[in-house]
Amino acid sequence: MSKKKRKKIRKGKSDGIQNRLKAKIVSLLHQNFNKEYSTKEITKKLGFRRNDYNNAIPMVLSALTQEGQILNNSGRYKSAQRPDLIRGKLDHVNPRFAYLLTPEEEDDIYIKAKDLNFAIDGDLVDVMVIPTRAGKRPEGKVVNIVERNKDQFVGRIEFSPRFAFVVADNRKIHQDIFVPLDKTSSAAHNDKVIVKITQWPGHDKSPEGEVKMVLGKAGDNNAEIHSIMAEFDLPFEFPKEIEQEAEKISDKITKKEIAKRRDFRDILTFTIDPEDAKDFDDALSFEKLENGNYEIGIHIADVTHYVQPGSILEKEAYDRATSVYLVDRTIPMLPERLSNGLCSLRPREDKLTFSAVFEIDENANVLKEWFGRTIIHSDRRFTYEDAQASIETGVGDLAPELQLINDLAKKLRKERFKKGAVNFESTEVKFKLDEKGKPLGVIPKIRKDAHKLIEEFMLLANKQVASYVHDMKKGKEKNTFVYRTHDYPDPEKLNSFSSFAKRFGHSLQTEETAVSKSLNKLLDDIEGKPEENVLQQLAIRAMAKAKYTTAADIHFGLAFPHYTHFTSPIRRYPDMMVHRLLQHYLDSGKSADKEEYEEKCVHSSEREKRAADAERASIKYKQVEFMQGVEDKVFDGIISGVTEWGIFIEIVETKCEGMVRMVDLKDDYYDFDEKNFRVIGNNNKKIYALGDKVRVQVKATDIDRRTIDLIFVDETD
């Protein structure tokens, strides 16, 4: 071989090495585009040990700088490229990984814990997508924390000789918060506290904070409920100026005010509410007309008469947006002076109301409707139990009227289901608590005709108000209004639910035109069966989420073309918006500002979610507390979820959900079969699949994290 040829080969090898190095260096810097590295750090990062590579790297860095692919800042190098970033909220699922939740993207982006760049759950972040093999889930790295989700956390404080740390209650916060001893306030070991972050994590350090409030001893009912309230940023009380403003409102109803309203005080009127209710925001009036039809009025507390736009009461109601119902208390949207006093439709008192009044024939057809401000005088306050007894026996106050109204409600309900409404009746539980808040028992709530009667007429009022406003203006341009919408189910979730239901022998048609009828049949078939609650919950999860919006879209679950919330302004701010808008349009007002109301709708939907999450957390806390006392008992359960780290079990008797962790399956090593919702033993081939009936015992409970660890009883034999 000639000297020239050998030189050419050596040059080719050298060029090949340089090109490979270029690609590796560019990839390294691009994937860490916001970081700078020295030559030594780049060599180390690339994992090279050979001298020829180490000697070549400075030359390659120089060449890349000249080509403009990288930047040299005093001997430290960084990428010259600006990659496309995706912005979204972080969902830190477990200590090993998180997801970027991005509504616009087809798939949420998987992020390893080491690539989180010290972001934590709920943070708004920019993520750079890392190239992956075709068909593999997209992966990314957090390159910028745009906005921290919150800077205060609730947790249990633990002390060591030189410092303290707070273990956050939130299961998605996977780092303890370091607290210097001089920043612990008056907290003692094992107290529940609110800690404010003073220094965010960086360079592998934990976040640092200071104790802002001591809530009490971990495990104490008040401390735990206050922890939940603080975790979800729920207010502990009304500011003094709000209470004072409410107290100033007169309870006198003037003749001038009465003259503006339709007077229902001489018409039979009553309320039906839970036994422990303190605020009564809806009443029904009933009158038989000379033509044989019935006039039924749905009368709603006229909250917006007392809460004026621009007032501090209005601003507070908007900020809260909803009342929150925890297991042992209510966090009201309005001060007690309004919610339990002025606006509560108490019996034998004149009350100002906003009403939807319908003339209905014996077949429950609505023949006429009227909307407007009224005054009522409730003749009787029924509990659900009182009304139910009268309906069932025909004996007692207003029994004939209640039975007749119940018959009309049943006809309305039948017609609703005929048109495609879905019969979502998930099993709710309530707790029997002692005087200290300790749960003595878990009691499923049972819905009877009295509950359904009230529900049906509230649905009627909400539907008719929405349709009335929508149809006021002909053509495409409609008056701005607040609707409650519910989209068609997500096809993928529906198919997953259908696959799950098949495991119990139930079928579901998932075509858009057939899904309502098929889903109702399935829900009827499972009534009273062990799998009822699991399938109900999964069916609800498969549905789209209802929301408030100015878009006049359908309500799939109720099968209504238009729907709103008109009937609960004491506890929901959207109902106050609806009252104001309806009156504005009744007074021939012009269409309201759509952008302003859409912003209020988004806020109300977010607050509604916060309330639901807090309510679930309080129920979960009581379930965990209740299960602490039954650790020796064996329970029947149903597998309600399967993940790579554990198997979720719903206990049939108490409706509590716990987990059998994979590490506690000692008889074999189990593989997770994600596609078929199951785990399979490597050697014994035992299968635990979604929907399987199992027997379990409580292994451990964690009040702080509100978790229940279970074990299969056959694992302990």
Side-chain angles (χ1 to χ4, degrees):
M1 187 184 295
S2 69
K3 188 177 180 181
K4 189 177 179 181
K5 194 169 185 181
R6 284 197 301 270
K7 190 175 180 182
K8 190 176 180 182
I9 291 170
R10 282 199 301 271
K11 186 179 183 304
K13 284 183 178 178
S14 176
D15 288 347
I17 289 170
Q18 287 204 14
N19 288 336
R20 285 196 293 275
L21 277 175
K22 277 185 176 182
K24 286 178 180 293
I25 290 170
V26 168
S27 177
L28 169 70
L29 296 185
H30 185 53
Q31 288 193 28
N32 298 276
F33 81 96
N34 57 338
K35 293 182 180 178
E36 293 182 342
Y37 297 99
S38 67
T39 306
K40 189 175 180 181
E41 287 168 337
I42 289 171
T43 305
K44 188 176 178 182
K45 283 277 183 186
L46 293 177
F48 292 142
R49 296 290 179 267
R50 286 171 52 188
N51 289 333
D52 54 345
Y53 278 177
N54 295 352
N55 293 334
I57 285 173
M59 293 168 53
V60 171
L61 288 171
S62 178
L64 287 171
T65 304
Q66 288 176 13
E67 292 168 11
Q69 292 197 57
I70 66 173
L71 302 174
N72 181 354
N73 181 19
S74 302
R76 297 187 69 79
Y77 298 91
K78 65 182 291 187
S79 174
Q81 297 183 50
R82 302 298 297 177
D84 292 331
L85 301 180
I86 297 172
R87 184 166 291 184
K89 287 269 179 108
L90 200 68
D91 180 17
H92 200 168
V93 179
N94 67 33
R96 301 194 314 279
F97 63 86
Y99 288 110
L100 184 75
L101 305 179
T102 53
E104 298 83 9
E105 296 298 313
E106 192 170 321
D107 293 307
D108 293 334
I109 295 165
Y110 177 90
I111 306 169
K112 293 173 183 171
K114 68 181 180 65
D115 293 327
L116 286 172
N117 195 20
F118 306 111
I120 61 175
D121 186 72
D123 287 351
L124 184 66
V125 296
D126 287 332
V127 165
M128 179 178 67
V129 177
I130 303 168
T132 54
R133 292 195 308 273
K136 199 179 175 193
R137 185 195 297 275
E139 292 189 22
K141 284 185 174 186
V142 174
V143 297
N144 182 37
I145 298 169
V146 180
E147 185 181 348
R148 291 289 186 180
N149 179 40
K150 58 197 302 187
D151 64 359
Q152 291 197 158
F153 297 91
V154 182
R156 180 173 45 81
I157 192 165
E158 297 185 15
F159 284 83
S160 72
R162 288 179 294 134
F163 62 90
F165 59 91
V166 172
V167 182
D169 284 356
N170 188 333
R171 280 182 282 171
K172 293 188 175 184
I173 304 300
H174 303 288
Q175 282 181 293
D176 296 340
I177 300 163
F178 172 82
V179 182
L181 290 177
D182 61 348
K183 301 289 185 183
T184 58
S185 189
S186 57
H189 185 71
N190 243 9
D191 275 351
K192 280 295 182 75
V193 299
I194 299 174
V195 61
K196 183 180 176 67
I197 302 296
T198 55
Q199 184 177 317
W200 289 104
H203 305 296
D204 297 326
K205 289 184 179 177
S206 294
E208 189 172 316
E210 61 178 321
V211 173
K212 302 301 288 185
M213 185 184 291
V214 179
L215 301 173
K217 276 289 173 200
D220 173 75
N221 180 71
N222 257 351
E224 295 296 341
I225 295 294
H226 284 158
S227 294
I228 291 168
M229 291 167 66
E231 180 182 340
F232 292 97
D233 297 320
L234 296 171
F236 282 61
E237 57 190 5
F238 283 100
K240 281 186 181 177
E241 62 270 22
I242 301 292
E243 296 278 14
Q244 289 166 356
E245 189 73 18
E247 291 301 324
K248 289 178 187 174
I249 301 173
S250 172
D251 61 355
K252 299 291 187 288
I253 301 174
T254 64
K255 289 182 179 178
K256 185 179 177 183
E257 185 58 44
I258 293 171
K260 297 177 190 174
R261 296 169 178 263
R262 186 170 166 182
D263 196 338
F264 276 80
R265 286 177 295 178
D266 292 333
I267 308 296
L268 173 65
T269 304
F270 55 87
T271 59
I272 305 177
D273 290 283
E275 189 173 3
D276 56 356
K278 294 177 182 175
D279 60 328
F280 315 124
D281 56 6
D282 55 74
L284 291 182
S285 66
F286 174 82
E287 183 178 21
K288 186 166 183 177
L289 303 175
E290 289 182 5
N291 62 7
N293 294 331
Y294 309 103
E295 185 176 82
I296 294 179
I298 295 99
H299 306 284
I300 310 301
D302 191 359
V303 173
T304 55
H305 172 79
Y306 297 104
V307 180
Q308 293 297 309
S311 67
I312 59 172
L313 277 169
E314 158 76 16
K315 289 172 184 173
E316 183 73 13
Y318 172 70
D319 183 55
R320 295 184 178 218
T322 181
S323 296
V324 185
Y325 298 91
L326 305 181
V327 284
D328 68 339
R329 70 196 68 193
T330 298
I331 303 166
M333 184 179 79
L334 297 169
E336 191 171 335
R337 163 78 172 157
L338 287 159
S339 59
N340 295 357
L342 294 172
C343 298
S344 185
L345 308 183
R346 297 182 299 206
R348 295 173 294 282
E349 294 181 19
D350 287 358
K351 291 290 178 179
L352 301 180
T353 45
F354 207 137
S355 304
V357 183
F358 304 105
E359 182 178 334
I360 298 177
D361 67 17
E362 62 182 7
N363 295 316
N365 297 307
V366 175
L367 306 176
K368 292 180 184 176
E369 61 185 18
W370 179 90
F371 307 102
R373 286 192 146 114
T374 53
I375 182 169
I376 67 165
H377 186 96
S378 176
D379 299 288
R380 174 79 154 81
R381 185 242 159 159
F382 287 99
T383 65
Y384 281 120
E385 291 75 16
D386 294 337
Q388 187 63 34
S390 292
I391 289 168
E392 288 177 1
T393 65
V395 177
D397 287 354
L398 309 181
E401 290 85 354
L402 285 170
Q403 287 182 322
L404 198 155
I405 294 170
N406 187 50
D407 286 342
L408 292 173
K410 284 182 174 180
K411 288 171 182 173
L412 286 169
R413 184 178 172 85
K414 185 178 179 182
E415 183 64 20
R416 192 159 54 82
F417 287 122
K418 186 178 174 184
K419 289 181 176 176
V422 180
N423 187 19
F424 287 123
E425 292 220 5
S426 59
T427 305
E428 294 182 32
V429 295
K430 62 180 180 179
F431 294 89
K432 185 180 179 183
L433 305 175
D434 66 14
E435 65 280 359
K436 291 183 179 178
K438 189 175 179 62
L440 304 174
V442 183
I443 308 158
K445 292 181 183 177
I446 299 170
R447 278 167 39 83
K448 295 190 175 180
D449 280 356
H451 300 82
K452 295 174 185 177
L453 178 161
I454 289 297
E455 177 185 63
E456 215 54 53
F457 281 102
M458 297 306 118
L459 291 175
L460 176 66
N462 289 334
K463 180 188 77 164
Q464 296 300 118
V465 165
S467 297
Y468 176 77
V469 173
H470 179 268
D471 296 340
M472 282 180 102
K473 283 175 75 173
K474 304 303 176 188
K476 288 185 178 180
E477 288 296 318
K478 301 292 184 180
N479 283 328
T480 296
F481 199 54
V482 173
Y483 295 96
R484 179 73 167 175
T485 65
H486 182 222
D487 205 352
Y488 285 99
D490 177 271
E492 192 176 326
K493 289 182 179 178
L494 204 58
N495 285 327
S496 293
F497 172 68
S498 177
S499 298
F500 181 42
K502 281 179 184 173
R503 297 179 181 279
F504 295 94
H506 306 294
S507 62
L508 177 70
Q509 292 176 263
T510 56
E511 300 82 9
E512 202 169 276
T513 53
V515 65
S516 298
K517 188 175 180 181
S518 182
L519 194 52
N520 280 334
K521 183 180 184 307
L522 187 153
L523 293 170
D524 284 343
D525 290 346
I526 63 175
E527 190 173 350
K529 294 181 179 176
E531 68 267 25
E532 180 181 13
N533 198 45
V534 172
L535 285 175
Q536 281 174 343
Q537 293 302 322
L538 285 172
I540 290 169
R541 285 181 212 165
M543 297 297 111
K545 296 288 184 284
K547 65 178 182 179
Y548 297 107
T549 176
T550 55
D553 295 329
I554 64 157
H555 195 294
F556 167 78
L558 295 171
F560 292 156
H562 307 297
Y563 186 66
T564 191
H565 274 168
F566 168 79
T567 54
S568 293
I570 288 178
R571 63 185 180 90
R572 292 189 305 225
Y573 186 80
D575 302 57
M576 289 175 61
M577 290 195 280
V578 165
H579 282 212
R580 287 204 181 104
L581 287 170
L582 176 57
Q583 188 60 56
H584 177 69
Y585 296 136
L586 289 170
D587 295 337
S588 303
K590 292 182 179 179
S591 185
D593 185 319
K594 189 165 187 172
E595 197 172 308
E596 175 193 340
Y597 274 92
E598 184 60 33
E599 188 178 319
K600 290 179 176 180
C601 285
V602 170
H603 168 78
S604 298
S605 295
E606 287 171 352
R607 286 291 195 249
E608 178 187 46
K609 183 182 183 305
R610 178 181 75 165
D613 289 345
E615 287 163 19
R616 276 194 292 271
S618 76
I619 290 168
K620 188 69 179 176
Y621 156 55
K622 285 300 169 193
Q623 287 177 327
V624 174
E625 190 179 20
F626 177 71
M627 295 301 285
Q628 278 183 329
V630 292
E631 292 193 359
D632 294 332
K633 188 173 177 181
V634 176
F635 292 96
D636 290 324
I638 290 178
I639 295 179
S640 56
V642 183
T643 69
E644 60 186 301
W645 57 87
I647 302 165
F648 289 98
I649 314 288
E650 185 189 84
I651 294 170
V652 174
E653 182 183 331
T654 64
K655 310 302 178 192
C656 301
E657 189 176 62
M659 177 191 273
V660 176
R661 299 182 185 276
M662 297 295 275
V663 294
D664 288 330
L665 294 173
K666 304 293 187 186
D667 62 330
D668 200 352
Y669 178 82
Y670 285 80
D671 289 316
F672 175 46
D673 179 1
E674 184 176 7
K675 187 178 178 182
N676 293 301
F677 311 104
R678 64 184 184 177
V679 295
I680 307 171
N682 264 1
N683 299 313
N684 62 21
K685 302 303 177 188
K686 188 185 288 186
I687 294 174
Y688 292 107
L690 204 62
D692 284 353
K693 295 175 184 177
V694 292
R695 288 170 66 76
V696 291
Q697 268 182 303
V698 176
K699 178 192 176 189
T701 54
D702 186 336
I703 284 286
D704 294 336
R705 295 297 178 101
R706 298 187 281 277
T707 58
I708 302 168
D709 282 355
L710 303 171
I711 49 173
F712 292 122
V713 291
D714 59 353
E715 294 292 319
T716 62
D717 288 345

